[in-house]
Amino acid sequence: MHIVCVGAVYIDTILNVPKYPIEDQKLRATGHARRRGGNCANTLEVLSQLINPQDNDATRKGNLHLLAVLPNEKSAATNFIRDSICKVTIESCIFRPEHNEAASSYILQNTQNHSRTIISHNPLPEMTVSEFTEKAAQVAQREDGGETWYHFEGRVPETTLQCVEYLRSAPEQRGVKISVECEKPEREGMSEVAKLADVVFYSRLWADANGYDDPRKFLESRIPDALPGAILCCTWGEGGAVAVQKKHDGKHQWAKVTAWKPDTGSFEVVDTIGAGDTFISGMLFALNHHRTDWTLERTLSFANELAGRKVLQDGFAGLG
Ligand code: FRU
């Protein structure tokens, strides 16, 4: 199975702050880091470790593909991004030759309550539908009959909807699996995309904005709109996560997990940036590699543990 993740790549500048600043105040950071981010790139970085845990050969690419808009192929920013996900194919990316800067995020990581406040800027023109269909047709041709899974971060809902409609109707894309993320409530149109997906990842923020304070009740409200057989998940931070698979006979299968904690009992949250992206890696890995031998409960608890382990460490290395 080839997994193509469609989304953006950011260069994150992370400042650890002892408390959230007051406007117009000066505040000293206790730490500073610069690393590659972006939901899809984060997901792929973790997936590459899960799929090839023993493989240290950086030149051997797995079946993982990034489909994102990047700056000029020769720019320092693109080199930095390429090096950060060396086991992921970036051949399907759309390069903007006239741009040398990547999208960037400035993140305040509050050591007191572990909130991460993200302010981002993306100077790169977003992917168009025709750019996507051209790349997806190339993937289909290259992989010739191989199974492909498309995961969409869903940056521009109207574009994402047309991309998904293309995948659902084009003869060369027969049999592709589609997952989508409904993370930011302001991207309302993503609910139309969710109706066509095999797997939907809802955030707590999304459920909140739709008036739900309980993940199961929220997912129950989404079942009527989902495809038969679709899996819907909702992560709830320290409240764990819930997933449901819609069954044809109405006897939907539910799974619920509490937030993962290490056996030692004591633990310290270190870095919550990309925990949701890591959860998605866990789900995509299990749904691809253990489709037949893992229950929904086991799949969910694997993804939940992976995301839990991620917040105890800086960045994404060593999660495989
Ligand atoms: C984390 C993240 C960061 C990035 C931001 C983009 O989920 O992908 O790495 O800067 O979100 O929204």
Side-chain angles (χ1 to χ4, degrees):
M1 178 73 93
H2 287 262
I3 302 180
V4 184
C5 291
V6 189
V9 180
Y10 284 80
I11 294 183
D12 292 346
T13 301
I14 303 158
L15 289 169
N16 300 104
V17 288
K19 60 177 179 146
Y20 194 79
I22 295 165
E23 192 173 346
D24 210 23
Q25 190 195 39
K26 279 189 180 182
L27 181 66
R28 267 192 198 196
T30 53
H32 166 272
R34 180 174 179 268
R35 70 176 187 229
R36 194 253 33 265
N39 295 16
C40 272
N42 294 341
T43 296
L44 283 165
E45 184 175 346
V46 179
L47 258 177
S48 70
Q49 299 171 40
L50 296 172
I51 288 174
N52 276 325
Q54 310 301 336
D55 186 359
N56 292 320
D57 181 354
T59 58
R60 192 163 34 235
K61 311 281 183 194
N63 293 338
L64 300 173
H65 310 252
L66 175 69
L67 205 172
V69 173
L70 296 183
N72 190 312
E73 233 171 317
K74 297 202 169 73
S75 64
T78 296
N79 283 336
F80 181 68
I81 293 165
R82 191 186 282 116
D83 290 349
S84 72
I85 38 173
C86 53
K87 289 204 217 155
V88 172
T89 307
I90 65 162
E91 240 172 75
S92 295
C93 284
I94 299 147
F95 298 95
R96 301 268 184 247
E98 63 285 8
H99 286 264
N100 285 313
E101 298 301 330
S104 44
S105 285
Y106 294 86
I107 306 181
L108 291 185
Q109 179 131 259
N110 183 347
T111 346
Q112 224 168 51
N113 64 2
H114 314 296
S115 72
R116 87 292 177 262
T117 307
I118 306 180
I119 302 177
S120 7
H121 174 65
N122 188 359
L124 299 165
E126 293 283 353
M127 174 189 80
T128 64
V129 178
S130 60
E131 283 174 327
F132 172 79
T133 54
E134 190 187 318
K135 295 290 180 183
Q138 283 167 8
V139 172
Q141 200 176 20
R142 263 202 317 267
E143 307 318 338
D144 192 25
E147 293 186 298
T148 308
W149 184 301
Y150 278 87
H151 172 70
F152 289 87
E153 190 181 305
R155 294 186 54 77
V156 184
E158 303 71 39
T159 306
T160 311
L161 182 60
Q162 290 179 61
C163 296
V164 169
E165 284 170 346
Y166 154 79
L167 290 175
R168 287 292 183 226
S169 59
E172 70 273 19
Q173 303 293 352
R174 194 166 304 126
V176 297
K177 295 275 182 216
I178 299 172
S179 56
V180 299
E181 204 184 339
C182 292
E183 185 199 20
K184 301 192 172 84
E186 60 273 23
R187 295 180 186 166
E188 266 171 51
M190 285 307 292
S191 49
E192 288 306 305
V193 185
K195 293 179 184 169
L196 299 173
D198 299 292
V199 180
V200 187
F201 298 103
Y202 289 105
S203 68
R204 179 179 188 164
L205 215 60
W206 183 284
D208 260 352
N210 283 280
Y212 288 86
D213 59 6
D214 176 81
R216 180 166 173 142
K217 288 205 183 86
F218 166 69
L219 289 182
E220 266 164 9
S221 77
R222 300 289 84 231
I223 293 175
D225 277 350
L227 288 181
I231 294 176
L232 313 179
C233 317
C234 185
T235 46
W236 212 258
E238 63 298 338
V242 178
V244 60
Q245 180 161 35
K246 177 170 175 171
K247 296 287 184 189
H248 304 258
D249 58 5
K251 292 183 185 136
H252 313 307
Q253 192 189 343
W254 287 89
K256 183 178 186 327
V257 287
T258 53
W260 180 84
K261 296 206 167 61
D263 287 340
T264 55
S266 75
F267 66 97
E268 197 195 328
V269 173
V270 174
D271 172 23
T272 57
I273 303 163
D277 309 334
T278 305
F279 174 86
I280 292 177
S281 311
M283 290 294 295
L284 294 185
F285 171 74
L287 291 170
N288 274 280
H289 289 258
H290 294 282
R291 208 180 331 175
T292 50
D293 59 333
W294 282 14
T295 59
L296 184 61
E297 184 92 37
R298 178 144 185 217
T299 296
L300 184 69
S301 90
F302 176 80
N304 182 52
E305 175 174 341
L306 195 67
R309 286 203 283 119
K310 190 265 151 292
V311 302
L312 303 185
Q313 66 166 60
D314 239 331
F316 304 96
L319 287 168

